[in-house]
Amino acid sequence: MAFYKAAKGTVLVGGGALATVLGLSQFAHYRRKQVNLAYVEAAECFAEPVNREPPSREAQLLTLQNTSEFDILVIGGGATGSGCALDAVTRGLKTALVERDDFSSGTSSRSTKLIHGGVRYLQKAIMKLDIEQYRMVKEALHERANLLEIAPHLSAPLPIMLPVYKWWQLPYYWVGIKLYDLVAGSNCLKSSYVLSKSRALEHFPMLQKDKLVGAIVYYDGQHNDARMNLAIALTAARYGAATANYMEVVNLLKKKDPETGTERVSGARCKDVLTGKEFDVRAKCVINATGPFTDAVRKMDDQNATAICQPSAGVHIVMPGYYSPESMGLLDPATSDGRVIFFLPWQKMTIAGTTDSPTDITHHPIPSEEDINFILNEVRNYLSCDVEVRRGDVLAAWSGIRPLVTDPKSADTQSISRNHVVDISESGLVTIAGGKWTTYRSMAEDTVNAAIKFHNLKAGPSRTVGLFLQGGKDWSPTLYIRLVQDYGLESEVAQHLAATYGDKAFEVAKMASVTGKRWPIVGVRLVSEFPYIEAEVKYGIKEYACTAVDMISRRTRLAFLNVQAAEEALPRIVELMGRELDWDEKKKEKELETARKFLYYEMGYKSRSEQLTDRSEISLLPSDIDRYKKRFHKFDADQKGFITIVDVQRVLESINVQMDENTLHEILNEVDLNKNGQVELNEFLQLMSAIQKGRVSGSRLAILMKTAEENLDRRVLIPVDRSCGGL
């Protein structure tokens, strides 16, 4: 068995020894020269893609079935697996990739959305004189710069503030952050800087003021992770890799090596999850890049294989954008239990996380209420007491499983690492495990290098440094203006399309439906508060979207931004997909049910909805109870003890407000806990109690009833003598 510790990555082979000889400053200069040469090589030696557009899924399946033998078959369509396919195919290897679910359906779409070098790993490297940690940071900083270069539409530098509440911490953190800049060298995004207390509050006004000394701001990258993963897979397909999602590996194929007589992995038996059809895909080399499911595939090869993956759950929550500045993140380096929490603007919302706790491996990780509340409590510690951090403001929540790696030869768990490991079994199965999003490219390079060497494949050097991903080549920051001018799209929608599809945004705009309005001319939205348009559903199918879940979570990011908005958009999404993919009514109903279940369990809807249940306690002051009873009885004019759609319609008509019956039904259904078609007084008081506690926010019924009450109270009759005798 060959077992390689690959934290250094191919670009840093021998880096530790070289750094010792040259000294850190000379070593940094040497690395900069190497990086620049790599960019030149990638730019000069690389050919154009073989396909202008990625082939359809049907065409890819035919290629998988009809190719006698591939050079490399990659199992897993996450960031690393897609990276392996792109690295292999651009070296001239005949490449295939299969993914059991959708591209980026696992860990790769559930990250903190950061492209980072790992500032806290650098601290460990310095404090413990750990050269491996240093190499990992160095590699990640190089990869961070490359990723921002090759996908400029999906990524950008993000300033992150580290607030300081003790004077001695200011020089301590400043030295650490400056070392981070120094290690980055020419790959430093922007130089870090110190802020006074007043300047820190100017940039981050919702920050806790008491005892604040100042702040340090440093830069890392941020990206749209699922879309980035998809861009890698689509780029691999354009360069000729046969890529297919919803293709499950049932078992590995083996054949005897005529020279040694030993059994070698020679491909995989694959099953189309959507149709049930099975067929063999033959390959000289099989790469296992399945993240948390690494050991499951390794055991297909060898039942006695030692486990190398130790899963860890990371939970994130999404809150409204007003919780953070539009372009400044926050890092809490030492939470109450020692974990690190990020608090970042993302897609005009605020993302907070992450937790780090042992977990079982599952296809459907669920965020726990305990983890959600832990993150909320840490956020409260850093925000001003003027800002009420409410549980009801959690719009979405998810859990991702990190595939941390352990050395199978180690007897304890101290070998758990964020580094990546390349493992080759006796039968030739190549496994890549561990690592992190930022280093996917170097992980892929190391993996393909190992595969080429072990299996004697004929291939050139890696060419993915500086290679633009789908949509990145002709993108510019002003591209969205052309979309507005040429197609009549709203500016917000145009900016979203440019930032999601890059130079492919024009293809989406061409599909956009006419609105029938003076402005915008085209671009019918899926939901009013988000810039996603119906044309993206049609285009998403060209990007291999096969289910409604693919559309709400990875082609668009609705499920990750607001579960209620995603649920609201689902019927229209299913209708549009059904029209394009010829779904019958039974299939549409199944898609709706599956997508709603996904939102309920995996995207935090369950935790959100459980904040108001028929077991919720009513903890209101007597004066509040009297006030809310009076409000309720203005709708319940007949003193029935409950209100219906008819009651609400009557009050709204009296204040000249029109609302359709379906909308009113949805509004009442949110509060109708026993689902009997009416809202009882007790249910209304439970709602108001939950709102006061911050467990529920944005209740349409509560806001509607309050507004109606205020309008009714203002309607006071004017005496005749004050109206000029009625003349």
Side-chain angles (χ1 to χ4, degrees):
M1 175 183 287
F3 191 82
Y4 307 92
K5 282 273 186 158
K8 58 189 178 301
T10 303
V11 294
L12 286 173
V13 170
L18 193 57
T20 305
V21 174
L22 296 178
L24 286 179
S25 61
Q26 286 179 299
F27 179 61
H29 175 70
Y30 167 79
R31 287 298 310 132
R32 283 198 294 275
K33 283 185 68 178
Q34 269 201 331
V35 169
N36 292 335
L37 285 172
Y39 273 98
V40 171
E41 182 185 16
E44 290 181 354
C45 299
F46 206 75
E48 286 297 308
V50 295
N51 300 308
R52 185 176 178 276
E53 297 296 331
S56 67
R57 183 174 182 272
E58 290 70 25
Q60 298 283 40
L61 292 179
L62 285 173
T63 303
L64 286 172
Q65 292 177 70
N66 297 331
T67 301
S68 57
E69 187 179 50
F70 289 95
D71 292 317
I72 284 181
L73 167 63
V74 182
I75 306 173
T80 306
S82 299
C84 287
L86 180 58
D87 189 274
V89 75
T90 52
R91 295 188 194 213
L93 294 168
K94 194 181 293 184
T95 306
L97 180 148
V98 293
E99 160 61 43
R100 174 177 49 195
D101 204 311
D102 184 31
F103 302 111
S104 193
S105 57
T107 308
S108 295
S109 64
R110 302 170 191 241
S111 73
T112 312
K113 322 303 179 195
L114 284 178
I115 311 170
H116 63 102
V119 68
R120 66 187 187 276
Y121 303 139
L122 181 61
Q123 180 188 23
K124 291 178 184 176
I126 294 167
M127 299 295 287
K128 298 180 180 179
L129 299 176
D130 189 335
I131 191 66
E132 286 295 315
Q133 293 276 5
Y134 169 79
R135 287 172 179 166
M136 184 176 70
V137 175
K138 186 72 181 175
E139 175 194 45
L141 288 169
H142 167 253
E143 294 302 323
R144 180 188 70 177
N146 183 64
L147 197 48
L148 289 165
E149 175 87 12
I150 65 177
H153 58 303
L154 292 170
S155 59
L158 176 72
I160 300 175
M161 180 184 290
L162 198 154
V164 180
Y165 288 90
K166 294 176 182 175
W167 280 107
W168 68 265
Q169 290 179 333
L170 200 59
Y172 175 76
Y173 286 139
W174 183 82
V175 169
I177 294 298
K178 278 300 173 186
L179 279 171
Y180 192 57
D181 291 350
L182 179 65
V183 173
S186 63
N187 294 324
C188 181
L189 302 180
K190 289 185 182 180
S191 185
S192 57
Y193 55 91
V194 177
L195 290 174
S196 65
K197 177 178 179 178
S198 59
R199 290 284 290 163
L201 292 171
E202 186 180 320
H203 283 282
F204 212 122
M206 57 284 293
L207 202 60
Q208 174 67 261
K209 303 181 181 97
D210 298 341
K211 298 181 182 177
L212 182 67
V213 172
I216 298 167
V217 176
Y218 73 98
Y219 285 81
D220 259 328
Q222 189 177 49
H223 69 152
N224 187 339
D225 55 1
R227 293 293 319 182
M228 186 73 81
N229 191 158
L230 187 62
I232 300 165
L234 291 170
T235 307
R238 288 184 63 205
Y239 277 97
T243 59
N245 54 353
Y246 293 99
M247 287 297 297
E248 180 180 6
V249 170
V250 180
N251 58 266
L252 298 176
L253 306 176
K254 291 188 177 183
K255 68 178 181 182
K256 279 194 176 182
D257 187 324
E259 293 181 8
T260 63
T262 58
E263 281 201 330
R264 288 289 184 92
V265 173
S266 60
R269 180 74 174 175
C270 297
K271 176 183 177 182
D272 187 337
V273 175
L274 303 179
T275 64
K277 183 178 179 180
E278 293 188 13
F279 54 86
D280 292 340
V281 178
R282 300 278 176 183
K284 296 172 185 173
C285 169
V286 176
I287 294 175
N288 169 20
T290 53
F293 304 97
T294 292
D295 289 323
V297 176
R298 292 176 74 244
K299 287 183 182 296
M300 281 186 187
D301 174 39
D302 177 7
Q303 275 294 323
N304 299 316
T306 307
I308 64 171
C309 181
Q310 184 155 326
S312 170
V315 171
H316 295 81
I317 63 174
V318 169
M319 305 172 78
Y322 53 70
Y323 273 96
S324 66
E326 212 170 293
S327 57
M328 177 77 76
L330 183 80
L331 167 64
D332 178 358
T335 61
S336 56
D337 67 352
R339 292 182 280 193
V340 171
I341 289 284
F342 284 98
F343 193 60
L344 310 166
W346 184 66
Q347 302 279 306
K348 297 189 177 179
M349 295 293 183
T350 300
I351 182 172
T354 177
T355 61
D356 192 355
S357 51
T359 186
D360 294 326
I361 295 174
T362 172
H363 293 293
H364 307 288
I366 299 171
S368 70
E369 186 64 24
E370 181 184 356
D371 282 332
I372 292 171
N373 283 318
F374 166 78
I375 295 170
L376 287 173
N377 287 332
E378 295 304 325
V379 168
R380 288 187 186 102
N381 292 338
Y382 270 81
L383 295 190
S384 168
C385 55
D386 297 336
V387 180
E388 184 186 357
V389 180
R390 305 180 297 180
R391 173 61 182 82
D393 282 342
V394 177
L395 304 174
W398 67 86
S399 176
I401 301 177
R402 297 187 194 89
L404 302 182
V405 185
T406 58
D407 186 334
K409 300 166 191 167
S410 176
D412 57 34
T413 59
Q414 296 306 308
S415 60
I416 295 174
S417 174
R418 305 268 174 178
N419 303 345
H420 63 271
V421 166
V422 177
D423 170 39
I424 304 182
S425 71
E426 291 178 3
S427 59
L429 176 67
V430 180
T431 294
I432 171 66
K436 56 183 179 178
W437 227 119
T438 307
T439 58
Y440 86 90
R441 193 212 63 82
S442 62
M443 291 165 64
E445 182 180 341
D446 288 346
T447 306
V448 177
N449 280 344
I452 289 169
K453 184 176 180 181
F454 188 89
H455 290 276
N456 298 314
L457 302 175
K458 293 181 180 179
S462 176
R463 292 175 170 177
T464 50
V465 172
L467 175 67
F468 279 107
L469 298 182
Q470 168 105 337
K473 188 175 182 181
D474 296 319
W475 175 88
S476 74
T478 57
L479 183 145
Y480 79 94
I481 296 173
R482 289 171 54 200
L483 292 171
V484 175
Q485 294 174 336
D486 295 353
Y487 295 94
L489 288 160
E490 289 175 88
S491 182
E492 185 188 11
V493 170
Q495 287 174 332
H496 152 68
L497 293 181
T500 303
Y501 304 95
D503 58 30
K504 300 295 179 184
F506 295 99
E507 295 180 23
V508 184
K510 288 173 187 174
M511 296 180 173
S513 304
V514 175
T515 64
K517 302 176 184 177
R518 184 188 64 79
W519 190 263
I521 298 169
V522 301
V524 178
R525 295 195 183 206
L526 288 167
V527 280
S528 59
E529 71 265 42
F530 289 95
Y532 300 110
I533 60 174
E534 291 183 356
E536 292 180 78
V537 178
K538 298 176 188 175
Y539 191 78
I541 293 168
K542 291 180 66 176
E543 295 183 322
Y544 305 137
C546 299
T547 70
V549 172
D550 297 345
M551 203 64 69
I552 60 173
S553 59
R554 293 174 287 275
R555 303 310 180 279
T556 70
R557 305 311 308 272
L558 262 178
F560 283 79
L561 295 169
N562 189 316
V563 286
Q564 286 186 299
E567 187 186 42
E568 184 182 322
L570 263 177
R572 182 59 178 159
I573 287 172
V574 169
E575 182 185 341
L576 290 167
M577 291 189 77
R579 193 182 302 165
E580 296 293 318
L581 298 172
D582 295 323
W583 289 347
D584 57 23
E585 290 304 314
K586 187 176 179 181
K587 172 65 173 173
K588 289 179 186 176
E589 288 172 12
K590 184 179 178 182
E591 285 294 321
L592 273 172
E593 181 186 351
T594 303
R596 283 172 176 152
K597 191 179 291 184
F598 168 79
L599 291 173
Y600 189 72
Y601 290 106
E602 295 183 53
M603 289 292 114
Y605 211 151
K606 181 175 185 287
S607 295
R608 182 179 174 87
S609 63
E610 285 179 350
Q611 300 308 306
L612 182 64
T613 69
D614 53 10
R615 296 182 299 278
S616 300
E617 293 182 4
I618 299 173
S619 54
L620 295 167
L621 295 172
S623 58
D624 288 333
I625 291 176
D626 289 340
R627 178 158 55 93
Y628 294 137
K629 278 184 176 179
K630 287 176 183 176
R631 183 177 300 172
F632 184 85
H633 290 313
K634 286 186 178 180
F635 284 77
D636 179 24
D638 303 329
Q639 302 292 304
K640 304 182 297 296
F642 60 85
I643 58 175
T644 63
I645 289 176
V646 175
D647 295 319
V648 178
Q649 279 178 326
R650 175 182 51 76
V651 174
L652 293 180
E653 286 171 4
S654 71
I655 58 173
N656 298 318
V657 174
Q658 299 293 324
M659 195 170 289
D660 68 87
E661 191 171 322
N662 287 336
T663 303
L664 282 174
H665 177 75
E666 289 176 11
I667 290 172
L668 263 68
N669 195 51
E670 291 173 3
V671 186
D672 180 14
L673 302 177
N674 54 18
K675 305 304 176 189
N676 62 356
Q678 57 197 33
V679 176
E680 283 89 6
L681 174 60
N682 195 59
E683 289 173 326
F684 180 67
L685 293 176
Q686 285 176 326
L687 170 66
M688 301 314 296
S689 178
I691 289 173
Q692 275 199 10
K693 288 181 178 179
R695 296 200 312 267
V696 170
S697 63
S699 168
R700 292 186 284 179
L701 181 65
I703 293 170
L704 186 67
M705 291 178 72
K706 180 182 180 182
T707 304
E709 180 187 46
E710 289 170 350
N711 282 318
L712 287 170
D713 290 344
R714 279 198 294 266
R715 293 180 61 199
V716 180
L717 292 174
I718 302 173
V720 174
D721 60 340
R722 290 183 56 199
S723 62
C724 302
L727 298 176

